[in-house]
Amino acid sequence: AASLAAFSSIGCSPITMAYFLFKGDGKKPATYPLEPVSKDRKDVRIVVMAANGPGMTWEFAGLDRDVASQMAKQLAEGTREEKHPIKVIRPDDVDRYKASHPNWRTMEPDQLAKELGADYLIDVSITGVGLYQQGTGNVVYEGWATADVVVYRAGQKVAVHEYNHKSQLHPAAGDSLPAGQYKSQVIKRFATELASRHMKHTEDSRKVAPLSQ
């Protein structure tokens, strides 16, 4: 009642008042949400594991680790203020587990998630990536990256989510910035769009950003 009186006193119409009271945060829901699995805690614990597909050229060595790291960071930062924030299993802890368990590659994903203390394992198989527009002799940038993504819940063998993803940037002159810097932008865009599929996001976070100088 106090809120209604306050809005009335400044001359707000009922429609305007309803907008301010119920407009929400303006974010779109996750396409592939990571629902909480524990009644004893609010957070959702995940591990992101990425792998480069066959035929990846040397210039993209380490791409899988960069994508996994940036995607995990985006998920943690983007849900920090949410009711069920996402907590990422530290990469160092994952590396230590891999080093002490040489057979980790043969483990079922749901079991690996459980072993790492995660509620979900996001498996990102990078199927392709490129920096240049085809047929331009590497003088026009048009970055892109594709991946097959499967999400497993700990202790549940059947995947909870499975999808294909492609990120595509707008064309830009090849001399607009160094190739290394442009590659970093492609990777960041790729990781950001992948992360946005699993959390509430603004429309802008799913659009291609203009090339920054």
Side-chain angles (χ1 to χ4, degrees), residues 112-133:
L112 183 56
K114 190 174 181 179
E115 288 284 318
L116 291 168
D119 299 320
Y120 295 95
L121 183 149
I122 303 178
D123 183 15
V124 182
S125 297
I126 302 171
T127 53
V129 61
L131 301 182
Y132 299 97
Q133 187 179 89

Side-chain angles (χ1 to χ4, degrees), residues 166-189:
K166 181 175 183 178
S167 293
Q168 181 83 53
L169 276 70
H170 291 307
D175 59 359
S176 56
L177 75 168
Q181 187 177 341
Y182 183 75
K183 183 177 78 170
S184 296
Q185 292 192 9
V186 173
I187 296 171
K188 182 177 181 181
R189 172 52 47 177

Side-chain angles (χ1 to χ4, degrees), residues 36-42:
V37 302
S38 174
K39 295 180 180 179
D40 300 325
R41 51 183 169 78
K42 292 184 177 181

Side-chain angles (χ1 to χ4, degrees), residues 50-57 60 63-64 124-129 146:
N52 290 341
M56 201 73 68
T57 59
F60 294 108
L63 173 65
D64 48 354
V124 182
S125 297
I126 302 171
T127 53
V129 61
T146 57

Side-chain angles (χ1 to χ4, degrees), residues 40-199:
D40 300 325
R41 51 183 169 78
K42 292 184 177 181
D43 63 16
V44 177
R45 298 175 184 177
I46 70 159
V47 59
V48 180
M49 304 193 78
N52 290 341
M56 201 73 68
T57 59
W58 65 268
E59 63 184 318
F60 294 108
L63 173 65
D64 48 354
R65 188 173 181 84
D66 290 340
V67 169
S69 175
Q70 291 192 37
M71 185 178 172
K73 181 180 179 181
Q74 294 277 355
L75 285 166
E77 293 181 351
T79 61
R80 185 176 296 145
E81 304 301 324
E82 299 295 333
K83 182 179 180 181
H84 298 292
I86 290 175
K87 181 179 179 181
V88 179
I89 304 302
R90 294 175 51 192
D92 288 347
D93 293 337
V94 176
D95 288 342
R96 276 194 291 271
Y97 181 87
K98 289 178 178 179
S100 60
H101 295 76
N103 65 332
W104 69 269
R105 293 182 184 276
T106 63
M107 295 176 63
E108 294 291 338
D110 67 298
Q111 184 61 31
L112 183 56
K114 190 174 181 179
E115 288 284 318
L116 291 168
D119 299 320
Y120 295 95
L121 183 149
I122 303 178
D123 183 15
V124 182
S125 297
I126 302 171
T127 53
V129 61
L131 301 182
Y132 299 97
Q133 187 179 89
Q134 290 186 349
T136 65
N138 293 358
V139 297
V140 177
Y141 286 132
E142 192 174 20
W144 61 275
T146 57
D148 296 330
V149 183
V150 186
V151 182
Y152 297 93
R153 179 171 169 172
Q156 182 176 311
K157 293 190 181 301
V158 179
V160 294
H161 299 304
E162 190 168 357
Y163 62 91
N164 308 114
H165 176 84
K166 181 175 183 178
S167 293
Q168 181 83 53
L169 276 70
H170 291 307
D175 59 359
S176 56
L177 75 168
Q181 187 177 341
Y182 183 75
K183 183 177 78 170
S184 296
Q185 292 192 9
V186 173
I187 296 171
K188 182 177 181 181
R189 172 52 47 177
F190 188 41
T192 298
E193 290 186 352
L194 284 168
S196 73
R197 286 183 175 258
H198 301 286
M199 64 181 183

